[in-house]
Structures are given as C-alpha cells and as structure tokens.
Amino acid sequence: MRFPARFLDEIRLRVPLSQVVGRHVQWDRRRSNPARGDWWACCPFHHEKTPSFHADDRKGFYYCFGCHAKGDVITFLVEKEGLDFAEAVAQLAQEAGLELPQPDPHAERREEERASLHDVLELAARFYEMQLALPEGEAARVYVQGRGLSEETIRRFRLGFAPDARDALLQHLRKAGVEEALMAEAGLIAVPEDGGRPYDRFRNRLMFPIRDGRGRVIAFGGRALGEARAKYLNSPETPLFDKSRVLYNLDLARPVAFERGAVIAVEGYMDVIALDQAGFPHVVAPLGTALTEGHLALLWRMAAEPVLCFDGDAAGMKAAWRALELALPHLAPGHSLRFALLPEGMDPDDLVREQGAEAFAAVLEAARPLIDMLWHGLVDNRTFSTPEERARLEADLEALVMRIGDAKVRAHYLREVRSRLRDFWRGTGGAGAAGRSAFGGGGVRRRAGMAVHTGGKPRAGAMQARMLHAGGREAPSPGLISKARERDEAFREREILRIVLRQPEILDEVFEELAELPFSSPALDSLRGKILDIAAGHAGLDSARLLAHLQDEGAGADVVRLAGRAISPDRQEDKPDLDLRRALASFREHARQLRRTAVLERELQAAEQAFGKDPSEENLERILRLREELQAARRLAGE
C-alpha cells in the first residue's frame, strides 16, 4: 500500500524516535540531553562497548558512527524488528493515534497532481524573480533597497515582483503549457463566479515565495506596492498549503536551529528576512494567522524552548498570552517556551535597521520563561486587598496550571506558583498589591487601579483619596475597568461585523479601515480575518455569497454565535432595513468609537504613569477627566 507523504510526516511528527529506539537500547545518561532531544547509546545493529549510536528527536533521524546505520523511525522498525514498510507504518500509526488511510485507487493520481502543483508554483516563482529584474519591477526594487536588503538576501529568499497586469502570469504559464485549472488549484489565479475571465491573484506586489521544509515552493505572499484592499495577501489554502501548519523560512532556518538548539518565531516576512540578514538565520514566522498547535509542533521539533517574539504593546501582550494558553496542554519535561517583547512601537525589522543586531540580541537575552509570563500576566496591575481577591488569584493560577497535560510538569508548576504566592503575600503584608511588570518597571504600587509613586511627594496620599472620591465620583477598580472595556469593545466589534455581514457591499470602501481596527476579541478578530480573506479574493459579494463562503470555511456557526442572528437570505426578518449609505455611516460611527476608546485607554495609561512620577494636581485632574470620558464612551455603547 502506498501512503500519502503527509500521513507519513504526521507519524514522524507524533512519535518521537527515542520512544521507539529506547525499547532496544539503554541510553547513555552522561552523553544524552533529553531536553534537546539528543540521545546516545550502544548501537542496536552491531556489538560495541562505547556508545556511538546517535538519535536526534528534533531531526527525526538516527546514525551510528561505527557501522553507519541510519534512517528514521519507520526505517528503524523495518531494519530492527523485521517489519515490512506497511507493517511499520501501521504500528506507528496506532501509537500516534492515527487511522490508516483507506486504500484509494486515485491516491497515486493525487500524488502526481501534487507533484504537478509543485512544478507550476516553481514556474511562477521563476517568473516573479525575472519580473523583479525587469524595468517594470523598479518600484519593487526601490522598496526592498529602502528596507536595506542586499542582493544576496533578495536571491536567498527568492523575492520577486507580480506585474500590475490582469493576466501576466496566466499568459506566461499558458505559454508553458499549464492548464488554467491547475493554475487555479495552485492558488495563482482567481476564477470569477459569474463566469468572467480568470485573472492573476497577485498584481503589483512584492512577492515572497513560501516553501515547505524541503525547500519546494508551495504558496506565495504578496506585499502591495500601490493602493490595494489588503497590504499583505497570501495564497489561499490548496492541497499543498495549509497556513496553520506552515512556517515561513522553515527550510532555511531548520538546519541552523538544529545546530544551535534554538529557534525564534516572529510575526512577518520582512521581520524574518531582516533578522536573517542581521545574523539570526534561525528565525521563522506564521503566515497571516495566530500561532497554532501545528506551528508549536514544528517549533518544538527544532528546539526544546523556542523564543516567541512579540511587539511590546497591548496587542503584543495579548498575542503572547494566547500563545501561552495554547502551549499549556502540550508542555513536557524540558519542553517549553520563552517570550521576548520588543520596545513598544518597534518590530524586529525596525529594531535591527535603527539600532543594529546587538539591540535584538539584547531582546533575546531578556526573554522570559513561560512561568514568568503566566505569573505576571495574572498578578500585575491588580489589587488583592480583600480575601476574595486573593482567593481569586490563587484560583486563577491553579486553573491555568491544571491545563498542563504532563503530570510531572504540572506538579512542578503547582509548587512554583504556591511558593511565589507565599512570598508574594509575605512581601506585601497580606495586601498583595501588584508590583513589577513582567518585563521591567518597579517602584510603583497599585491601589484602585491607580499608580502611586512609593517615594514621591507627601501630598500623594491626599490626592489619591481625592481621586477615589472627588466630587462623589468613585474610581472603578481595575477589574471593573477591564470588564467594562471588554464589554464595550465586544459590543462595538460585534456591531461592526454585523453591518459588514448584512451589507458586504460596503467592503469596497471600508476594506482597509476594517483591517486596521483595534479588535480585542480573538474570536471576533478571527471572523474578521476570514471576511477580509474572502473579500480580497471575490468581487461583488452580497450577504448570501459571503455567508456561503464563510460556511465553506467552517465559520457559519461563528456568524450565528458572534455576530448575532443568522444572516440567511431565506429569512426576510434577518434582512437589515438599511441602504448602503446608512450602513456605511453606522459602520464608521462604531469604528470611530472603537478607535476613540482605544486612544482614551492609552491616554489614561500614560496619565497614570505621569501621576506615578509626579502626583500633581494637574496630573490628577487629567486622570479624572479621562476616566469620565471613558465612562461616557461606554454608556454610549449601551452599557
């Protein structure tokens, strides 16, 4: 039986090589390093007294320096236990919890089609590379030169240019004998639903080939060089491209990551390329999506403790926290994450261009372990002045720790957080006022959501009392502020998506605006992303067509659950009584309020920090004014 390549890769991913080999050898504990997936033993294929057999869990291969036996986990079962290939695959599939694929007479043809798709995408990559060197590619060359990329880097990442023409690539591939159906399956062209002429999916864009672990082109990303609905556009998912299981630059980064035992994950193409050029070749990035379990599995194959690098703003902290929650069930001995936060307002590309590679190296050096992120994420900027608040912290910490799947790791985390809690309560006299932030700061204690400098002017305490009760206005606690903010943002975000779902015709005018709104709800943000992806690839959407596309992507339930009632064309009562002009006005008002709330939050945070440094009457008045404006904005949201 012939097994699909993806199925065999999944087996190799799920079943550690050391788990299978370990049934036949005694590992040399002095030379082995389990945390790095690095194992040594006397060879099971020939007699020896000194260990020369090496198994590498990250690479998935073994090699004996004595008899030169080598292979992967499947080869090992074939050569050591005498199984044939199909028997070895069946045994490993059972260990991995996978069902064997059913015999399929068309499987061989599908494998041939996949090979054809690789060929077509390679032709497209060469076309884009050629276009970058032509006069038509001047704008793209100016852009990459402005970003400081060398000719060597451009060649290394095979950057290209998609001409600003409707069907330049289509005509090129047609002359090469490629059928339009294959171009569409590869995600290179789009075919209008109304039967119109197909057109190139990427036009007037700087092109980034996306390669698999073997270096084969499987998709593209394109950065707009002029006016466009989306600044960045990725290929749609195809038989070769599943963005939840692909990391940009995996093929180039993996050998270096294996050698160094370290890998860095950042957010975008240009960050990867800039860091590679600056001397950090072991860097990868997800592709237009938040980190997934598939991405984590790939990262952990390269290093025991990958470093996730995020922007140092509120959005970056939220992304880091989502990654932490995603990783908890999969933590294992010697198998974790570290978190590096960049200076606020800078991404890795900015940092290395403006401050050099040393600045990014310092960010990596300051990366914190997962336990620190977990602790500070729940402790910082909260008050614990009552027994109930302290009990809530303990319950929150324990609930997160109990999500860890490995019993040993979970037990160590429980001991660690309980130890920290004892020290925390003892250090604060039981009040438990929050102290330092996860990545620096200090010298500030929190009361009722406000910062009070511990060594400031004597009148700070009186001002604090006035801040709490001035004019009969009692300041809400941080927890209430957070809940109010979440309710406000969720309301606005739901209303914005509801308008777009019912009147998608406005997307032609608000596409960029929708993409840039500061969404805070991960679920609503995910639905927003799906809508934008669909709109980028389909013109003339109405409500029924948009819903159909969302249902095809498995998001129909999200529409009902997150955006209100089902947007069904068959139910008259679900059709909005809004013309496009009113829908557009409503969208922009909600968007304006959402942005305004975000601005007020940032201004209030800055005001609190200023008050901590200088508890003056002027700074106090500013804080009170901003709080009133935030409360007014939330009342306007219907709270």
Side-chain angles (χ1 to χ4, degrees):
M1 176 179 178
R2 184 170 182 174
F3 298 99
R6 279 191 175 185
F7 180 74
L8 298 178
D9 288 341
E10 187 69 19
I11 284 178
R12 297 182 184 106
L13 183 65
R14 292 198 185 191
V15 182
L17 176 62
S18 60
Q19 175 180 308
V20 176
V21 176
R23 301 170 193 154
H24 298 273
V25 301
Q26 291 291 325
W27 298 115
D28 185 333
R29 298 297 177 182
R30 292 172 298 177
R31 296 185 64 187
S32 299
N33 187 342
R36 296 186 58 179
D38 192 40
W39 303 88
W40 289 87
C42 290
C43 180
F45 296 105
H46 79 286
H47 296 292
E48 62 178 3
K49 295 182 179 180
T50 303
S52 62
F53 178 88
H54 179 234
D56 192 322
D57 275 337
R58 296 168 303 162
K59 296 180 181 179
F61 286 97
Y62 63 85
Y63 180 74
C64 177
F65 291 86
C67 69
H68 307 296
K70 61 182 179 180
D72 62 8
V73 67
I74 301 173
T75 310
F76 186 85
L77 286 182
V78 170
E79 297 186 356
K80 183 61 183 175
E81 299 187 6
L83 305 180
D84 62 30
F85 185 83
E87 289 171 335
V89 171
Q91 179 175 315
L92 292 169
Q94 184 176 12
E95 290 188 42
L98 297 171
E99 291 188 9
L100 287 173
Q102 296 300 311
D104 185 351
H106 304 294
E108 187 171 342
R109 176 170 176 76
R110 284 201 300 272
E111 288 297 312
E112 292 173 356
E113 290 173 350
R114 286 170 61 83
S116 298
L117 289 177
H118 282 300
D119 293 339
V120 172
L121 288 160
E122 177 60 29
L123 286 173
R126 293 177 183 175
F127 171 79
Y128 291 140
E129 286 179 289
M130 177 180 66
Q131 295 298 312
L132 182 63
L134 295 178
E136 291 83 353
E138 182 179 3
R141 294 195 301 275
V142 169
Y143 176 80
V144 296
Q145 289 164 3
R147 301 300 291 261
L149 302 187
S150 67
E151 289 296 326
E152 180 184 353
T153 296
I154 293 170
R155 287 193 299 271
R156 175 174 168 80
F157 287 91
R158 302 190 63 185
L159 301 188
F161 171 65
D164 190 10
R166 177 182 175 85
D167 58 359
L169 176 63
L170 187 152
Q171 295 298 338
H172 175 79
L173 294 178
R174 183 181 287 166
K175 290 177 183 177
V178 180
E179 296 179 358
E180 288 184 7
L182 202 56
M183 300 180 207
E185 191 175 11
L188 297 172
I189 65 171
V191 182
E193 295 178 354
D194 59 6
R197 290 191 302 120
Y199 55 88
D200 290 356
R201 184 174 296 276
F202 299 97
R203 301 183 298 279
N204 194 28
R205 290 179 180 270
L206 176 66
M207 298 300 292
F208 302 84
I210 300 166
R211 302 177 300 271
D212 64 12
R214 294 165 61 182
R216 300 173 298 182
V217 179
I218 57 173
F220 290 94
R223 201 268 186 204
L225 296 170
E227 294 296 325
R229 284 182 171 182
K231 181 183 291 185
Y232 282 95
L233 181 66
N234 285 333
S235 294
E237 296 201 351
T238 70
L240 299 182
F241 179 53
D242 176 355
K243 63 184 179 182
S244 68
R245 300 181 61 81
V246 174
L247 290 170
Y248 181 66
N249 197 41
L250 177 65
D251 61 316
L252 298 179
R254 185 163 55 184
V256 184
F258 284 152
E259 180 182 340
R260 300 187 184 184
V263 65
I264 308 161
V266 293
E267 295 190 54
Y269 309 116
M270 288 305 302
D271 293 330
V272 167
I273 295 171
L275 288 174
D276 180 276
Q277 182 171 280
F280 303 92
H282 52 307
V283 61
V284 296
L287 293 155
T289 183
L291 207 67
T292 67
E293 291 183 345
H295 295 144
L296 285 177
L298 289 171
L299 291 170
W300 275 323
R301 287 291 298 272
M302 291 184 276
E305 206 172 42
V307 176
L308 307 186
C309 188
F310 296 99
D311 294 345
D313 55 13
M317 288 299 295
K318 287 181 181 178
W321 188 257
R322 288 197 294 269
L324 179 150
E325 291 186 304
L326 180 70
L328 283 175
H330 307 287
L331 299 182
H335 197 116
S336 187
L337 297 172
R338 294 181 74 84
F339 295 81
L341 292 187
L342 293 154
E344 189 163 358
M346 303 192 80
D347 56 32
D349 182 24
D350 297 327
L351 189 62
V352 296
R353 279 192 292 118
E354 295 179 18
Q355 301 181 27
E358 298 80 7
F360 186 74
V363 168
L364 294 181
E365 183 67 25
R368 298 296 183 90
L370 191 149
I371 180 62
D372 279 2
M373 284 294 296
L374 185 149
W375 171 262
H376 288 287
L378 291 180
V379 170
D380 285 354
N381 302 326
R382 291 173 62 181
T383 59
F384 307 102
S385 57
T386 69
E388 292 84 359
E389 289 169 337
R390 295 193 287 276
R392 175 63 182 272
L393 172 62
E394 294 183 3
D396 288 347
L397 284 166
E398 186 166 334
L400 277 174
V401 170
M402 292 307 293
R403 293 173 58 182
I404 298 173
D406 185 271
K408 289 183 179 179
V409 176
R410 185 170 62 247
H412 282 286
Y413 264 74
L414 283 172
R415 282 195 288 272
E416 176 68 16
V417 297
R418 287 167 182 166
S419 174
R420 291 191 182 206
L421 280 168
R422 285 193 298 272
D423 293 342
F424 189 54
W425 301 142
R426 188 161 49 243
T428 59
R436 294 179 179 269
S437 68
F439 290 87
V444 175
R445 53 188 171 88
R446 301 272 171 178
R447 292 285 173 82
M450 294 301 306
V452 184
H453 199 275
T454 54
K457 302 175 184 178
R459 57 198 177 103
M463 289 188 179
Q464 182 73 353
R466 179 172 170 239
M467 181 170 54
L468 289 171
H469 300 291
R473 296 168 296 183
E474 184 173 354
S477 71
L480 291 177
I481 292 174
S482 177
K483 288 183 173 63
R485 180 175 66 248
E486 291 170 3
R487 288 196 302 270
D488 175 49
E489 291 171 345
F491 170 84
R492 296 289 180 197
E493 292 163 16
R494 279 196 302 272
E495 287 302 305
I496 287 166
L497 292 186
R498 185 179 288 114
I499 292 167
V500 171
L501 287 165
R502 297 187 178 190
Q503 293 285 357
E505 295 87 349
I506 70 172
L507 281 169
D508 285 339
E509 193 161 344
V510 303
F511 187 97
E512 243 358 277
E513 188 175 358
L514 176 61
E516 294 174 358
L517 286 175
F519 272 40
S520 61
S521 163
L524 293 172
D525 186 46
S526 174
L527 179 57
R528 187 235 323 241
K530 290 183 173 68
I531 292 171
L532 290 172
D533 285 346
I534 292 167
H538 300 83
L541 286 173
D542 59 17
S543 185
R545 288 182 180 178
L546 177 56
L547 178 60
H549 285 298
L550 287 167
Q551 288 173 333
D552 288 343
E553 294 195 8
D558 294 341
V559 174
V560 177
R561 185 175 65 254
L562 302 176
R565 296 174 297 166
I567 315 299
S568 170
D570 299 323
R571 293 175 56 184
Q572 184 65 36
E573 65 270 23
D574 285 337
K575 294 181 179 179
D577 186 23
L578 287 173
D579 57 26
L580 292 181
R581 179 180 55 80
R582 291 175 60 197
L584 186 60
S586 183
F587 172 96
R588 285 191 164 143
E589 176 59 22
H590 283 298
R592 185 184 70 80
Q593 292 291 347
L594 187 62
R595 286 191 296 267
R596 176 59 178 158
T597 301
V599 169
L600 287 171
E601 286 286 351
R602 288 197 296 271
E603 290 181 356
L604 178 58
Q605 184 179 19
E608 291 177 354
Q609 292 173 351
F611 184 86
K613 295 176 182 177
D614 177 20
S616 65
E617 184 79 18
E618 180 183 356
N619 285 338
L620 174 60
E621 288 296 339
R622 183 184 175 208
I623 289 169
L624 292 171
R625 175 180 57 78
L626 288 169
R627 284 191 168 183
E628 286 182 350
E629 290 184 32
L630 270 174
Q631 290 172 344
R634 291 175 184 131
R635 284 195 297 271
L636 190 61
E639 295 187 5

